[in-house]
Amino acid sequence: REWLGRAAAAAHAWLLSARRVAATLMRVAAAAVSVWLLRLLKWDMDAEAAWPKIRGKKVLVFHKSDSVVHYEAASLHRALTRRPSSRVNSHADAGVGVADRPHVRA
């Protein structure tokens, strides 16, 4: 009888593990479908290309440890600091960058 209890416990643990794996796979699949759908709808914004079109002062708030937007993979701040044509003043401790492009004033 003891081995039967151990086998049942092992089967239960395996089932819980399989459910976790299935749930993770479902989340990954949902994310992939969401990205595909948004790109199909032409909702793939290039923030770096749009930045110069915004007139006047701009504020960019970011955090290098953001759990949603990965800084290295999708960083407008990083792209702007590499661009020689823009002036970026950043306060790294707060994770706030203020950038502006000079424009002609009347």
Side-chain angles (χ1 to χ4, degrees):
R1 288 187 182 211
E2 187 176 323
W3 67 269
L4 186 59
R6 288 183 186 162
H12 182 67
W14 181 86
L15 183 60
L16 288 177
S17 179
R19 284 183 182 167
R20 287 186 191 125
V21 169
T24 300
L25 290 175
M26 290 299 289
R27 283 193 295 271
V28 169
V33 168
S34 298
V35 168
W36 175 80
L37 183 60
L38 290 172
R39 286 189 176 151
L40 182 70
L41 296 171
K42 304 290 184 201
W43 200 349
D44 193 13
M45 187 176 110
D46 183 1
E48 186 180 355
W51 187 263
K53 297 175 186 172
I54 302 170
R55 298 267 180 211
K57 290 190 177 194
K58 301 158 242 188
V59 176
L60 176 62
V61 180
F62 65 94
H63 194 286
K64 288 186 177 182
S65 299
D66 193 324
S67 62
V68 176
V69 179
H70 192 263
Y71 182 80
E72 294 299 322
S75 177
L76 176 59
H77 175 258
R78 190 170 50 103
L80 291 174
T81 56
R82 290 180 177 174
R83 184 186 279 187
S85 63
S86 71
R87 189 179 74 212
V88 178
N89 304 316
S90 73
H91 190 287
D93 294 334
V96 177
V98 178
D100 61 344
R101 282 183 140 263
H103 59 278
V104 178
R105 295 183 181 174

